[in-house]
Amino acid sequence: MRARVWRFTIEKGKAGAEAVQAVEIGQGQLPVSLAAMVNINALACDLRKTVDQRVRDYEISLLLSYIIGGQGKGPLGVECSALDSSAGHIQRFVSECTGLGVMTAASEALFDWKPGASGLSSFDVLPGKLSGVYAKTGVRPDLLYDLAAGPVAGEARGRRRRAKKMFPPGKGTPEQRKRLEKLAQWSVDHGDHAYFMSWVWLGAGGVYVDVFLPDGSAALTGLKTGWIDVPGGAKPWQFRVSRPDPRRVVNVAQQHGHMVDLPHPEISGEGAASREVISRVGPKAEEAMDRAFSREEHQLGTLHGVPVRGRWIRGDILGEARHEVLLGVLGERIEVNRRAQRERLATLASDRLDTFLDGRRLTAVCPVDGPPPSWDRISAELLEQT
């Protein structure tokens, strides 16, 4: 998919965030697989509740009915005529699910992140133990990444775009500006909590994403720039945050060029507290995966000696399916070589399967114009990532 990356600086006053300056780093093609998008959405659930498999399967089938494409066979695309004919809540569902999946999949391609004990946690439905660390009302980003450098919040947005140019030209949109303002203030209110924002556009041109990264954040460390084929312009996009405080304590300096290997910020205050609490959420996630494993009746095979159960789901809500996805769960967690998985995705040939493995959840997407691949073939390709 096509990505455009921005970096931005927050100007702070005694009352909080005062102004924001954003500079485009550049744009280019990022490898994002359909299997990764499905995997992320299958995990985005409330750990306190029992997941209804019928609902989960239907939602995945619905997403696959609108989103087109697979690695080695061209970029991700959208069934725009069907999307435009759908009810507003269906359009929002498809757009937001795509935005959620792309945010994490794109971050995998942009950074060499190493997840911490609990990896990825849902932020929309905060586990009870996190409610005392983060505000219960107001702005809350969508996902919380538990990384070695500290917790990083991710905000995902997905929108249908009908213009011929998939990226809004020049500066960001008023919606993006408004959300950056709120997230900037959220970060300040939570002890300069690290975060980033992605904004996915769905249209006739395919799936595109704007990624906004704050300077001085753990989210920027190790940013890869080799994929950029069009460097960004040096002219910044500047705007004031609502009700600015004239007493400035940080001056915004114009910066140019690419950012690579910036230092990690110090984690203090609420950041350290949130990380401690997140580490205790891991067992809850494992309990949820245990329940998911016990509910699956069909065993697919084994992976590194670990049993895998699951089922095939077809994207046939709109009629004839283009893809089907294998959604599997492992009996226990196995280590994944993230770097090998990313490198394989970037060089995936047309004769290879689109697979993704994250802890105890695996997905494999294949077209329906042939027989489903055998478990031996799926496991052989997955083992290259572990």
Side-chain angles (χ1 to χ4, degrees), residues 296-328:
E296 293 288 354
E297 298 179 354
H298 179 58
Q299 180 156 326
L300 303 168
T302 61
L303 199 63
H304 276 319
V306 175
V308 183
R309 298 177 183 174
R311 68 184 71 189
W312 285 95
I313 302 170
R314 297 173 69 90
D316 56 1
I317 300 300
L318 298 178
E320 186 176 353
R322 292 186 179 88
H323 302 94
E324 58 182 344
V325 59
L326 176 65
L327 190 63

PDB file of all heavy atoms in Angstrom, residues 296-328:
ATOM      1  N   GLU A 296     -12.651 -24.034  19.664  1.00  0.00           N
ATOM      2  CA  GLU A 296     -12.447 -24.540  18.314  1.00  0.00           C
ATOM      3  C   GLU A 296     -12.460 -26.069  18.326  1.00  0.00           C
ATOM      4  O   GLU A 296     -11.734 -26.689  19.092  1.00  0.00           O
ATOM      5  CB  GLU A 296     -11.108 -24.037  17.760  1.00  0.00           C
ATOM      6  CG  GLU A 296     -11.053 -22.540  17.521  1.00  0.00           C
ATOM      7  CD  GLU A 296     -11.895 -22.111  16.335  1.00  0.00           C
ATOM      8  OE1 GLU A 296     -12.431 -22.988  15.623  1.00  0.00           O
ATOM      9  OE2 GLU A 296     -12.021 -20.888  16.115  1.00  0.00           O
ATOM     10  N   GLU A 297     -13.264 -26.670  17.471  1.00  0.00           N
ATOM     11  CA  GLU A 297     -13.434 -28.122  17.465  1.00  0.00           C
ATOM     12  C   GLU A 297     -12.480 -28.831  16.506  1.00  0.00           C
ATOM     13  O   GLU A 297     -12.147 -29.993  16.715  1.00  0.00           O
ATOM     14  CB  GLU A 297     -14.875 -28.466  17.084  1.00  0.00           C
ATOM     15  CG  GLU A 297     -15.901 -27.925  18.079  1.00  0.00           C
ATOM     16  CD  GLU A 297     -17.317 -28.249  17.669  1.00  0.00           C
ATOM     17  OE1 GLU A 297     -17.479 -28.802  16.543  1.00  0.00           O
ATOM     18  OE2 GLU A 297     -18.253 -27.964  18.441  1.00  0.00           O
ATOM     19  N   HIS A 298     -12.045 -28.143  15.453  1.00  0.00           N
ATOM     20  CA  HIS A 298     -11.259 -28.804  14.413  1.00  0.00           C
ATOM     21  C   HIS A 298      -9.773 -28.525  14.602  1.00  0.00           C
ATOM     22  O   HIS A 298      -9.344 -27.363  14.623  1.00  0.00           O
ATOM     23  CB  HIS A 298     -11.691 -28.306  13.034  1.00  0.00           C
ATOM     24  CG  HIS A 298     -10.920 -28.919  11.907  1.00  0.00           C
ATOM     25  ND1 HIS A 298     -10.864 -30.282  11.683  1.00  0.00           N
ATOM     26  CD2 HIS A 298     -10.160 -28.347  10.941  1.00  0.00           C
ATOM     27  CE1 HIS A 298     -10.111 -30.521  10.632  1.00  0.00           C
ATOM     28  NE2 HIS A 298      -9.667 -29.366  10.158  1.00  0.00           N
ATOM     29  N   GLN A 299      -8.976 -29.593  14.766  1.00  0.00           N
ATOM     30  CA  GLN A 299      -7.524 -29.426  14.872  1.00  0.00           C
ATOM     31  C   GLN A 299      -6.912 -29.463  13.482  1.00  0.00           C
ATOM     32  O   GLN A 299      -7.118 -30.406  12.712  1.00  0.00           O
ATOM     33  CB  GLN A 299      -6.892 -30.502  15.754  1.00  0.00           C
ATOM     34  CG  GLN A 299      -5.381 -30.334  15.869  1.00  0.00           C
ATOM     35  CD  GLN A 299      -4.820 -30.957  17.134  1.00  0.00           C
ATOM     36  OE1 GLN A 299      -5.464 -30.955  18.178  1.00  0.00           O
ATOM     37  NE2 GLN A 299      -3.611 -31.487  17.033  1.00  0.00           N
ATOM     38  N   LEU A 300      -6.125 -28.421  13.183  1.00  0.00           N
ATOM     39  CA  LEU A 300      -5.507 -28.301  11.868  1.00  0.00           C
ATOM     40  C   LEU A 300      -4.224 -29.104  11.764  1.00  0.00           C
ATOM     41  O   LEU A 300      -3.894 -29.661  10.720  1.00  0.00           O
ATOM     42  CB  LEU A 300      -5.201 -26.824  11.577  1.00  0.00           C
ATOM     43  CG  LEU A 300      -6.389 -25.864  11.643  1.00  0.00           C
ATOM     44  CD1 LEU A 300      -5.911 -24.427  11.641  1.00  0.00           C
ATOM     45  CD2 LEU A 300      -7.317 -26.117  10.468  1.00  0.00           C
ATOM     46  N   GLY A 301      -3.466 -29.137  12.858  1.00  0.00           N
ATOM     47  CA  GLY A 301      -2.169 -29.796  12.873  1.00  0.00           C
ATOM     48  C   GLY A 301      -1.351 -29.255  14.024  1.00  0.00           C
ATOM     49  O   GLY A 301      -1.909 -28.822  15.045  1.00  0.00           O
ATOM     50  N   THR A 302      -0.036 -29.274  13.881  1.00  0.00           N
ATOM     51  CA  THR A 302       0.845 -28.764  14.929  1.00  0.00           C
ATOM     52  C   THR A 302       1.852 -27.801  14.329  1.00  0.00           C
ATOM     53  O   THR A 302       2.155 -27.839  13.126  1.00  0.00           O
ATOM     54  CB  THR A 302       1.600 -29.902  15.635  1.00  0.00           C
ATOM     55  OG1 THR A 302       2.412 -30.588  14.671  1.00  0.00           O
ATOM     56  CG2 THR A 302       0.627 -30.878  16.281  1.00  0.00           C
ATOM     57  N   LEU A 303       2.388 -26.933  15.191  1.00  0.00           N
ATOM     58  CA  LEU A 303       3.417 -25.965  14.815  1.00  0.00           C
ATOM     59  C   LEU A 303       4.453 -25.969  15.925  1.00  0.00           C
ATOM     60  O   LEU A 303       4.138 -25.616  17.062  1.00  0.00           O
ATOM     61  CB  LEU A 303       2.797 -24.575  14.642  1.00  0.00           C
ATOM     62  CG  LEU A 303       3.586 -23.548  13.847  1.00  0.00           C
ATOM     63  CD1 LEU A 303       3.775 -23.996  12.402  1.00  0.00           C
ATOM     64  CD2 LEU A 303       2.879 -22.198  13.887  1.00  0.00           C
ATOM     65  N   HIS A 304       5.672 -26.417  15.611  1.00  0.00           N
ATOM     66  CA  HIS A 304       6.700 -26.600  16.637  1.00  0.00           C
ATOM     67  C   HIS A 304       6.196 -27.512  17.752  1.00  0.00           C
ATOM     68  O   HIS A 304       6.490 -27.297  18.928  1.00  0.00           O
ATOM     69  CB  HIS A 304       7.129 -25.248  17.225  1.00  0.00           C
ATOM     70  CG  HIS A 304       8.177 -24.551  16.429  1.00  0.00           C
ATOM     71  ND1 HIS A 304       9.252 -25.200  15.862  1.00  0.00           N
ATOM     72  CD2 HIS A 304       8.330 -23.235  16.128  1.00  0.00           C
ATOM     73  CE1 HIS A 304      10.010 -24.325  15.232  1.00  0.00           C
ATOM     74  NE2 HIS A 304       9.472 -23.128  15.371  1.00  0.00           N
ATOM     75  N   GLY A 305       5.389 -28.502  17.384  1.00  0.00           N
ATOM     76  CA  GLY A 305       4.854 -29.436  18.362  1.00  0.00           C
ATOM     77  C   GLY A 305       3.649 -28.928  19.124  1.00  0.00           C
ATOM     78  O   GLY A 305       3.084 -29.642  19.956  1.00  0.00           O
ATOM     79  N   VAL A 306       3.211 -27.719  18.863  1.00  0.00           N
ATOM     80  CA  VAL A 306       2.060 -27.119  19.544  1.00  0.00           C
ATOM     81  C   VAL A 306       0.809 -27.335  18.693  1.00  0.00           C
ATOM     82  O   VAL A 306       0.809 -27.005  17.496  1.00  0.00           O
ATOM     83  CB  VAL A 306       2.286 -25.613  19.779  1.00  0.00           C
ATOM     84  CG1 VAL A 306       1.036 -24.965  20.385  1.00  0.00           C
ATOM     85  CG2 VAL A 306       3.499 -25.390  20.674  1.00  0.00           C
ATOM     86  N   PRO A 307      -0.277 -27.877  19.265  1.00  0.00           N
ATOM     87  CA  PRO A 307      -1.492 -28.084  18.483  1.00  0.00           C
ATOM     88  C   PRO A 307      -2.128 -26.761  18.048  1.00  0.00           C
ATOM     89  O   PRO A 307      -2.095 -25.766  18.777  1.00  0.00           O
ATOM     90  CB  PRO A 307      -2.416 -28.849  19.444  1.00  0.00           C
ATOM     91  CG  PRO A 307      -1.904 -28.519  20.808  1.00  0.00           C
ATOM     92  CD  PRO A 307      -0.418 -28.340  20.657  1.00  0.00           C
ATOM     93  N   VAL A 308      -2.706 -26.771  16.837  1.00  0.00           N
ATOM     94  CA  VAL A 308      -3.356 -25.590  16.273  1.00  0.00           C
ATOM     95  C   VAL A 308      -4.764 -25.977  15.855  1.00  0.00           C
ATOM     96  O   VAL A 308      -4.964 -26.975  15.150  1.00  0.00           O
ATOM     97  CB  VAL A 308      -2.582 -25.045  15.053  1.00  0.00           C
ATOM     98  CG1 VAL A 308      -3.258 -23.777  14.530  1.00  0.00           C
ATOM     99  CG2 VAL A 308      -1.128 -24.772  15.407  1.00  0.00           C
ATOM    100  N   ARG A 309      -5.741 -25.198  16.295  1.00  0.00           N
ATOM    101  CA  ARG A 309      -7.140 -25.420  15.930  1.00  0.00           C
ATOM    102  C   ARG A 309      -7.667 -24.197  15.196  1.00  0.00           C
ATOM    103  O   ARG A 309      -7.201 -23.083  15.409  1.00  0.00           O
ATOM    104  CB  ARG A 309      -7.996 -25.672  17.170  1.00  0.00           C
ATOM    105  CG  ARG A 309      -7.608 -26.909  17.972  1.00  0.00           C
ATOM    106  CD  ARG A 309      -8.466 -27.020  19.224  1.00  0.00           C
ATOM    107  NE  ARG A 309      -8.084 -28.158  20.060  1.00  0.00           N
ATOM    108  CZ  ARG A 309      -8.601 -28.397  21.251  1.00  0.00           C
ATOM    109  NH1 ARG A 309      -9.554 -27.601  21.739  1.00  0.00           N
ATOM    110  NH2 ARG A 309      -8.198 -29.448  21.951  1.00  0.00           N
ATOM    111  N   GLY A 310      -8.663 -24.399  14.342  1.00  0.00           N
ATOM    112  CA  GLY A 310      -9.231 -23.259  13.635  1.00  0.00           C
ATOM    113  C   GLY A 310     -10.174 -23.661  12.532  1.00  0.00           C
ATOM    114  O   GLY A 310     -10.596 -24.813  12.425  1.00  0.00           O
ATOM    115  N   ARG A 311     -10.478 -22.677  11.668  1.00  0.00           N
ATOM    116  CA  ARG A 311     -11.460 -22.880  10.605  1.00  0.00           C
ATOM    117  C   ARG A 311     -11.193 -21.908   9.465  1.00  0.00           C
ATOM    118  O   ARG A 311     -10.554 -20.875   9.632  1.00  0.00           O
ATOM    119  CB  ARG A 311     -12.861 -22.658  11.148  1.00  0.00           C
ATOM    120  CG  ARG A 311     -13.122 -21.204  11.524  1.00  0.00           C
ATOM    121  CD  ARG A 311     -14.473 -21.004  12.155  1.00  0.00           C
ATOM    122  NE  ARG A 311     -14.516 -21.574  13.500  1.00  0.00           N
ATOM    123  CZ  ARG A 311     -15.636 -21.690  14.199  1.00  0.00           C
ATOM    124  NH1 ARG A 311     -16.779 -21.278  13.671  1.00  0.00           N
ATOM    125  NH2 ARG A 311     -15.624 -22.183  15.421  1.00  0.00           N
ATOM    126  N   TRP A 312     -11.724 -22.272   8.275  1.00  0.00           N
ATOM    127  CA  TRP A 312     -11.671 -21.395   7.113  1.00  0.00           C
ATOM    128  C   TRP A 312     -12.927 -20.534   7.064  1.00  0.00           C
ATOM    129  O   TRP A 312     -14.025 -21.011   7.317  1.00  0.00           O
ATOM    130  CB  TRP A 312     -11.567 -22.207   5.826  1.00  0.00           C
ATOM    131  CG  TRP A 312     -10.219 -22.806   5.589  1.00  0.00           C
ATOM    132  CD1 TRP A 312      -9.815 -24.068   5.912  1.00  0.00           C
ATOM    133  CD2 TRP A 312      -9.102 -22.156   4.992  1.00  0.00           C
ATOM    134  NE1 TRP A 312      -8.503 -24.248   5.555  1.00  0.00           N
ATOM    135  CE2 TRP A 312      -8.039 -23.097   4.977  1.00  0.00           C
ATOM    136  CE3 TRP A 312      -8.877 -20.888   4.460  1.00  0.00           C
ATOM    137  CZ2 TRP A 312      -6.783 -22.801   4.451  1.00  0.00           C
ATOM    138  CZ3 TRP A 312      -7.629 -20.584   3.944  1.00  0.00           C
ATOM    139  CH2 TRP A 312      -6.604 -21.527   3.938  1.00  0.00           C
ATOM    140  N   ILE A 313     -12.742 -19.257   6.729  1.00  0.00           N
ATOM    141  CA  ILE A 313     -13.854 -18.314   6.629  1.00  0.00           C
ATOM    142  C   ILE A 313     -13.804 -17.674   5.243  1.00  0.00           C
ATOM    143  O   ILE A 313     -12.757 -17.169   4.821  1.00  0.00           O
ATOM    144  CB  ILE A 313     -13.753 -17.223   7.712  1.00  0.00           C
ATOM    145  CG1 ILE A 313     -13.724 -17.859   9.103  1.00  0.00           C
ATOM    146  CG2 ILE A 313     -14.902 -16.229   7.596  1.00  0.00           C
ATOM    147  CD1 ILE A 313     -13.384 -16.877  10.209  1.00  0.00           C
ATOM    148  N   ARG A 314     -14.943 -17.672   4.552  1.00  0.00           N
ATOM    149  CA  ARG A 314     -14.999 -17.111   3.198  1.00  0.00           C
ATOM    150  C   ARG A 314     -15.561 -15.696   3.235  1.00  0.00           C
ATOM    151  O   ARG A 314     -16.486 -15.397   3.989  1.00  0.00           O
ATOM    152  CB  ARG A 314     -15.874 -17.986   2.291  1.00  0.00           C
ATOM    153  CG  ARG A 314     -15.337 -19.385   2.086  1.00  0.00           C
ATOM    154  CD  ARG A 314     -16.314 -20.244   1.329  1.00  0.00           C
ATOM    155  NE  ARG A 314     -16.456 -19.833  -0.053  1.00  0.00           N
ATOM    156  CZ  ARG A 314     -15.701 -20.310  -1.058  1.00  0.00           C
ATOM    157  NH1 ARG A 314     -14.753 -21.186  -0.805  1.00  0.00           N
ATOM    158  NH2 ARG A 314     -15.901 -19.908  -2.296  1.00  0.00           N
ATOM    159  N   GLY A 315     -15.004 -14.833   2.373  1.00  0.00           N
ATOM    160  CA  GLY A 315     -15.508 -13.467   2.249  1.00  0.00           C
ATOM    161  C   GLY A 315     -16.633 -13.409   1.236  1.00  0.00           C
ATOM    162  O   GLY A 315     -16.465 -12.848   0.134  1.00  0.00           O
ATOM    163  N   ASP A 316     -17.790 -13.959   1.578  1.00  0.00           N
ATOM    164  CA  ASP A 316     -18.877 -14.121   0.611  1.00  0.00           C
ATOM    165  C   ASP A 316     -20.161 -13.407   1.019  1.00  0.00           C
ATOM    166  O   ASP A 316     -21.251 -13.796   0.593  1.00  0.00           O
ATOM    167  CB  ASP A 316     -19.154 -15.607   0.394  1.00  0.00           C
ATOM    168  CG  ASP A 316     -19.479 -16.343   1.704  1.00  0.00           C
ATOM    169  OD1 ASP A 316     -19.503 -15.682   2.763  1.00  0.00           O
ATOM    170  OD2 ASP A 316     -19.702 -17.562   1.655  1.00  0.00           O
ATOM    171  N   ILE A 317     -20.032 -12.375   1.848  1.00  0.00           N
ATOM    172  CA  ILE A 317     -21.240 -11.650   2.275  1.00  0.00           C
ATOM    173  C   ILE A 317     -21.927 -10.982   1.086  1.00  0.00           C
ATOM    174  O   ILE A 317     -23.156 -10.890   1.020  1.00  0.00           O
ATOM    175  CB  ILE A 317     -20.892 -10.599   3.343  1.00  0.00           C
ATOM    176  CG1 ILE A 317     -20.277 -11.268   4.576  1.00  0.00           C
ATOM    177  CG2 ILE A 317     -22.124  -9.792   3.735  1.00  0.00           C
ATOM    178  CD1 ILE A 317     -21.179 -12.271   5.248  1.00  0.00           C
ATOM    179  N   LEU A 318     -21.152 -10.515   0.100  1.00  0.00           N
ATOM    180  CA  LEU A 318     -21.712  -9.810  -1.053  1.00  0.00           C
ATOM    181  C   LEU A 318     -21.996 -10.739  -2.230  1.00  0.00           C
ATOM    182  O   LEU A 318     -22.344 -10.282  -3.309  1.00  0.00           O
ATOM    183  CB  LEU A 318     -20.758  -8.704  -1.506  1.00  0.00           C
ATOM    184  CG  LEU A 318     -20.479  -7.607  -0.485  1.00  0.00           C
ATOM    185  CD1 LEU A 318     -19.482  -6.602  -1.038  1.00  0.00           C
ATOM    186  CD2 LEU A 318     -21.773  -6.893  -0.100  1.00  0.00           C
ATOM    187  N   GLY A 319     -21.839 -12.033  -2.031  1.00  0.00           N
ATOM    188  CA  GLY A 319     -22.055 -12.975  -3.123  1.00  0.00           C
ATOM    189  C   GLY A 319     -20.837 -13.865  -3.297  1.00  0.00           C
ATOM    190  O   GLY A 319     -20.330 -14.438  -2.335  1.00  0.00           O
ATOM    191  N   GLU A 320     -20.350 -13.938  -4.526  1.00  0.00           N
ATOM    192  CA  GLU A 320     -19.211 -14.803  -4.817  1.00  0.00           C
ATOM    193  C   GLU A 320     -17.965 -14.289  -4.103  1.00  0.00           C
ATOM    194  O   GLU A 320     -17.618 -13.107  -4.193  1.00  0.00           O
ATOM    195  CB  GLU A 320     -18.962 -14.857  -6.320  1.00  0.00           C
ATOM    196  CG  GLU A 320     -17.879 -15.844  -6.716  1.00  0.00           C
ATOM    197  CD  GLU A 320     -17.731 -15.945  -8.222  1.00  0.00           C
ATOM    198  OE1 GLU A 320     -18.573 -15.346  -8.936  1.00  0.00           O
ATOM    199  OE2 GLU A 320     -16.789 -16.609  -8.685  1.00  0.00           O
ATOM    200  N   ALA A 321     -17.285 -15.173  -3.392  1.00  0.00           N
ATOM    201  CA  ALA A 321     -16.109 -14.790  -2.614  1.00  0.00           C
ATOM    202  C   ALA A 321     -14.878 -14.688  -3.499  1.00  0.00           C
ATOM    203  O   ALA A 321     -14.753 -15.388  -4.512  1.00  0.00           O
ATOM    204  CB  ALA A 321     -15.864 -15.806  -1.504  1.00  0.00           C
ATOM    205  N   ARG A 322     -13.959 -13.785  -3.127  1.00  0.00           N
ATOM    206  CA  ARG A 322     -12.650 -13.687  -3.765  1.00  0.00           C
ATOM    207  C   ARG A 322     -11.582 -14.376  -2.922  1.00  0.00           C
ATOM    208  O   ARG A 322     -10.644 -14.943  -3.439  1.00  0.00           O
ATOM    209  CB  ARG A 322     -12.260 -12.226  -3.966  1.00  0.00           C
ATOM    210  CG  ARG A 322     -13.079 -11.460  -4.975  1.00  0.00           C
ATOM    211  CD  ARG A 322     -12.478 -10.069  -5.176  1.00  0.00           C
ATOM    212  NE  ARG A 322     -13.221  -9.306  -6.153  1.00  0.00           N
ATOM    213  CZ  ARG A 322     -14.270  -8.541  -5.875  1.00  0.00           C
ATOM    214  NH1 ARG A 322     -14.711  -8.477  -4.632  1.00  0.00           N
ATOM    215  NH2 ARG A 322     -14.894  -7.868  -6.821  1.00  0.00           N
ATOM    216  N   HIS A 323     -11.736 -14.247  -1.589  1.00  0.00           N
ATOM    217  CA  HIS A 323     -10.742 -14.793  -0.677  1.00  0.00           C
ATOM    218  C   HIS A 323     -11.409 -15.619   0.415  1.00  0.00           C
ATOM    219  O   HIS A 323     -12.596 -15.452   0.700  1.00  0.00           O
ATOM    220  CB  HIS A 323      -9.953 -13.664   0.009  1.00  0.00           C
ATOM    221  CG  HIS A 323      -9.255 -12.734  -0.929  1.00  0.00           C
ATOM    222  ND1 HIS A 323      -9.824 -11.571  -1.361  1.00  0.00           N
ATOM    223  CD2 HIS A 323      -8.030 -12.802  -1.496  1.00  0.00           C
ATOM    224  CE1 HIS A 323      -8.987 -10.947  -2.168  1.00  0.00           C
ATOM    225  NE2 HIS A 323      -7.899 -11.683  -2.272  1.00  0.00           N
ATOM    226  N   GLU A 324     -10.612 -16.472   0.990  1.00  0.00           N
ATOM    227  CA  GLU A 324     -10.990 -17.107   2.248  1.00  0.00           C
ATOM    228  C   GLU A 324      -9.774 -17.066   3.161  1.00  0.00           C
ATOM    229  O   GLU A 324      -8.618 -17.032   2.707  1.00  0.00           O
ATOM    230  CB  GLU A 324     -11.491 -18.531   2.032  1.00  0.00           C
ATOM    231  CG  GLU A 324     -10.532 -19.464   1.347  1.00  0.00           C
ATOM    232  CD  GLU A 324     -11.156 -20.840   1.136  1.00  0.00           C
ATOM    233  OE1 GLU A 324     -12.171 -21.121   1.789  1.00  0.00           O
ATOM    234  OE2 GLU A 324     -10.625 -21.615   0.338  1.00  0.00           O
ATOM    235  N   VAL A 325     -10.049 -17.037   4.457  1.00  0.00           N
ATOM    236  CA  VAL A 325      -8.972 -16.888   5.427  1.00  0.00           C
ATOM    237  C   VAL A 325      -9.049 -18.021   6.452  1.00  0.00           C
ATOM    238  O   VAL A 325     -10.132 -18.400   6.898  1.00  0.00           O
ATOM    239  CB  VAL A 325      -9.042 -15.517   6.141  1.00  0.00           C
ATOM    240  CG1 VAL A 325     -10.369 -15.326   6.864  1.00  0.00           C
ATOM    241  CG2 VAL A 325      -7.891 -15.344   7.114  1.00  0.00           C
ATOM    242  N   LEU A 326      -7.894 -18.546   6.775  1.00  0.00           N
ATOM    243  CA  LEU A 326      -7.797 -19.517   7.862  1.00  0.00           C
ATOM    244  C   LEU A 326      -7.498 -18.740   9.141  1.00  0.00           C
ATOM    245  O   LEU A 326      -6.499 -18.027   9.226  1.00  0.00           O
ATOM    246  CB  LEU A 326      -6.670 -20.517   7.592  1.00  0.00           C
ATOM    247  CG  LEU A 326      -6.413 -21.521   8.719  1.00  0.00           C
ATOM    248  CD1 LEU A 326      -7.621 -22.436   8.899  1.00  0.00           C
ATOM    249  CD2 LEU A 326      -5.160 -22.343   8.450  1.00  0.00           C
ATOM    250  N   LEU A 327      -8.383 -18.881  10.109  1.00  0.00           N
ATOM    251  CA  LEU A 327      -8.199 -18.234  11.398  1.00  0.00           C
ATOM    252  C   LEU A 327      -7.920 -19.319  12.423  1.00  0.00           C
ATOM    253  O   LEU A 327      -8.789 -20.131  12.738  1.00  0.00           O
ATOM    254  CB  LEU A 327      -9.453 -17.440  11.778  1.00  0.00           C
ATOM    255  CG  LEU A 327      -9.343 -16.515  12.995  1.00  0.00           C
ATOM    256  CD1 LEU A 327      -8.311 -15.426  12.747  1.00  0.00           C
ATOM    257  CD2 LEU A 327     -10.694 -15.885  13.299  1.00  0.00           C
ATOM    258  N   GLY A 328      -6.696 -19.375  12.921  1.00  0.00           N
ATOM    259  CA  GLY A 328      -6.291 -20.436  13.831  1.00  0.00           C
ATOM    260  C   GLY A 328      -5.786 -19.902  15.156  1.00  0.00           C
ATOM    261  O   GLY A 328      -5.381 -18.741  15.263  1.00  0.00           O
TER     262      GLY A 328
END
